[in-house]
Amino acid sequence: MRELIHSNRMKANFHLIKKSLGMDWPRRKTKAVFIGGVQIGGGAPVVIQSMTKTDTRNVRATITQINRLTQTGCQIVRVGIPDEEAALALREIKREIALPLIADIHFQPRLALLALEYGVDGLRINPGTIGPRAKLKEIVGLAKERQVPIRIGVNAGSLEKELLAKYGQPTAEAMVESALRHIRLLEDMDFDLIKVSLKASDIARTVAAYRLLAQQVDYPFHAGITEAGPLLRGTIKSVAGLTLLLREGLVDTFRISLTAPPEEEVRVAQLLLASLGLGSFGPELISCPICSRCEVDLAQIVKKVEESLSGIRESITVAVMGCMVNGPGEAREADVGVACGRGVGVIFKKGRVLRKVKEEMIVTELLKEVQEFLRDRSDRRKKEK
Ligand code: SF4
């Protein structure tokens, strides 16, 4: 009971704080589409996507990477289909993965038809550039028959020549006009299982484009800052841009694009949503930045705790704090925490002090309490059913 009160109090506090800070962000109202069994838009929680970085023709490597993404918590995966051999690989890939699969295709209608034949759950094509109108009609007809949504992906770097001539450069307005053209093509074929993305490599244009398009259509948005860069740089840029979009309720699904393994894209996405209180994806680790008051090797302790927590999927808040001045407050608020002193750590659970342990035992003892917390909670939930 005590632990239930502790966790309910924490949740209530968090929601109150979010509300008082104006962080209770309403979502834009959109239609819903389904990629496999995953709902996008229509009020569903924000969905995390990634894209494989293997050669899709290398079926084994692609399946292995997708399965790793599944374990990391990715919800939808996209693969690039540059040629017919890659399209043919979809049949086996689709058979051996659990994640909904999107085929990303440019210019070649035959590849889109093959992808649909092999059971993909979503297509990313640009209707205006996929080939002659008759071919588009064939693709749209098959997508409709199979209830497969199409994402229109407008990229500032590949806008139509006449739009570049009209606007002088790839402005947000030009991107939106391009998206509307593609949307109308599908709507004229009585197709509305549509998602839209408007990507530029700078935040200002990306945000401006989504804001503009949101005033004109109610299709769900796939968001992201494209070509954001390597891990650290790309994370910061993506998080800055996506936070602005999330703040305005303009994100229904998103990918963090990084020059890094795709699992890192998913981890960053999860941490972003968790930090904003928009989702819970396994443990939350709170740790202090360390200052001269710290009298243990906190960086090592945090590193080991983080590694050990990475295998846990359940939500739990763990705090690792460096001193007895500011540490006990955070450690007490967490589900499990430690506040360190000179060569020791005081372990907390559910707001209570448990015991003092030597520095070399902090990680072991903390993780023991984490496991016990998860076991007790799971037992309690089973009993409540
Ligand atoms: Fe410094 Fe203590 Fe704050 Fe850590 S918790 S940064 S050691 S004052």
Side-chain angles (χ1 to χ4, degrees):
M1 188 51 132
R2 186 189 164 103
E3 54 268 41
L4 196 64
I5 292 168
H6 175 78
S7 108
N8 284 347
R9 197 180 58 218
M10 279 178 59
K11 272 187 212 149
N13 281 346
F14 187 55
H15 286 299
L16 276 176
I17 292 165
K18 271 180 77 178
K19 211 167 179 178
S20 69
L21 289 175
M23 284 178 71
D24 226 10
W25 302 336
R27 291 274 294 283
R28 160 179 169 260
K29 287 197 169 52
T30 73
K31 291 182 172 155
V33 296
F34 286 84
I35 304 290
V38 178
Q39 182 179 334
I40 295 180
V46 177
V47 171
I48 296 170
Q49 305 199 17
S50 188
M51 187 167 184
T52 53
K53 301 181 184 211
T54 53
D55 181 339
T56 308
R57 291 166 293 200
N58 185 339
V59 173
R60 274 298 114 207
T62 304
I63 290 171
T64 304
Q65 191 163 77
I66 292 175
N67 289 337
R68 273 207 308 270
L69 280 168
T70 312
Q71 282 161 12
T72 314
C74 182
Q75 293 168 285
I76 291 175
V77 67
R78 180 160 49 111
V79 293
I81 306 296
D83 60 18
E84 188 153 334
E85 200 184 333
L88 293 172
L90 286 170
R91 188 204 310 245
E92 196 177 340
I93 293 170
K94 181 67 188 147
R95 246 192 259 130
E96 294 200 36
I97 62 167
L99 283 185
L101 182 66
I102 296 177
D104 190 310
I105 293 161
H106 285 280
F107 311 122
Q108 303 179 69
R110 180 171 154 66
L111 304 187
L113 289 167
L114 277 174
L116 287 165
E117 287 293 343
Y118 292 152
V120 293
D121 304 287
L123 276 183
R124 190 268 178 165
I125 59 169
N126 281 342
T129 59
I130 195 72
R133 188 66 62 95
K135 278 291 170 195
L136 175 63
K137 217 168 176 176
E138 217 180 313
I139 295 166
V140 170
L142 194 53
K144 196 170 175 186
E145 188 186 307
R146 301 187 170 208
Q147 290 292 289
V148 170
I150 292 177
R151 168 158 71 94
I152 293 165
V154 172
N155 197 310
S158 56
L159 281 183
E160 296 92 319
K161 282 195 187 79
E162 65 272 24
L163 287 177
L164 286 176
K166 179 176 170 184
Y167 290 94
Q169 50 185 312
T171 59
E173 290 77 7
M175 290 165 69
V176 168
E177 188 168 335
S178 173
L180 288 171
R181 284 182 177 189
H182 294 299
I183 289 169
R184 301 294 172 240
L185 274 173
L186 294 185
E187 286 180 341
D188 287 349
M189 294 177 184
D190 198 23
F191 187 87
D192 68 352
L193 303 174
I194 297 172
K195 281 183 294 156
V196 190
S197 64
L198 299 160
K199 294 188 182 178
S201 55
D202 61 284
I203 294 171
R205 245 183 329 167
T206 305
V207 173
Y210 279 106
R211 279 182 184 152
L212 267 179
L213 190 63
Q215 293 164 14
Q216 305 192 51
V217 298
D218 63 356
Y219 296 116
F221 286 163
H222 167 119
I225 306 296
T226 196
E227 295 125 23
L231 188 57
L232 180 61
R233 192 178 288 267
T235 295
I236 291 169
K237 195 167 173 184
S238 294
V239 165
L242 281 160
T243 302
L244 290 171
L245 291 169
L246 286 161
R247 166 80 184 85
E248 296 182 30
L250 296 175
V251 182
D252 299 295
T253 178
F254 70 108
R255 173 191 175 202
I256 301 274
S257 302
L258 298 175
T259 316
E263 297 94 309
E264 297 297 341
E265 299 186 349
V266 174
R267 284 190 195 104
V268 171
Q270 291 177 338
L271 289 170
L272 169 62
L273 291 182
S275 304
L276 295 171
L278 296 174
S280 172
F281 306 91
E284 185 176 354
L285 178 58
I286 293 164
S287 64
C288 83
I290 304 176
C291 74
S292 60
R293 290 195 187 94
C294 186
E295 295 178 289
V296 293
D297 185 355
L298 199 77
Q300 268 308 311
I301 294 172
V302 170
K303 188 168 175 267
K304 286 183 190 160
V305 170
E306 186 175 32
E307 279 165 11
S308 304
L309 293 179
S310 68
I312 295 174
R313 302 238 61 83
E314 296 101 316
S315 67
I316 179 171
T317 306
V318 178
V320 182
M321 304 297 293
C323 75
M324 289 297 173
V325 178
N326 292 330
E330 286 288 355
R332 196 172 275 120
E333 281 289 307
D335 294 315
V336 176
V338 61
C340 299
R342 179 176 294 184
V344 295
V346 175
I347 309 281
F348 290 75
K349 188 158 76 176
K350 297 169 291 197
R352 274 187 304 142
V353 172
L354 295 186
R355 60 191 171 278
K356 190 189 272 189
V357 300
K358 288 194 177 143
E359 179 172 352
E360 55 274 24
M361 293 307 293
I362 289 175
V363 176
T364 311
E365 294 294 315
L366 192 75
L367 293 170
K368 201 162 93 187
E369 294 305 330
V370 165
Q371 293 302 343
E372 196 177 298
F373 176 91
L374 295 173
R375 214 171 28 245
D376 289 352
R377 189 174 63 186
S378 151
D379 289 349
R380 200 174 56 244
R381 284 178 179 167
K382 274 186 207 145
K383 272 189 207 147
E384 281 166 10
K385 273 186 188 163

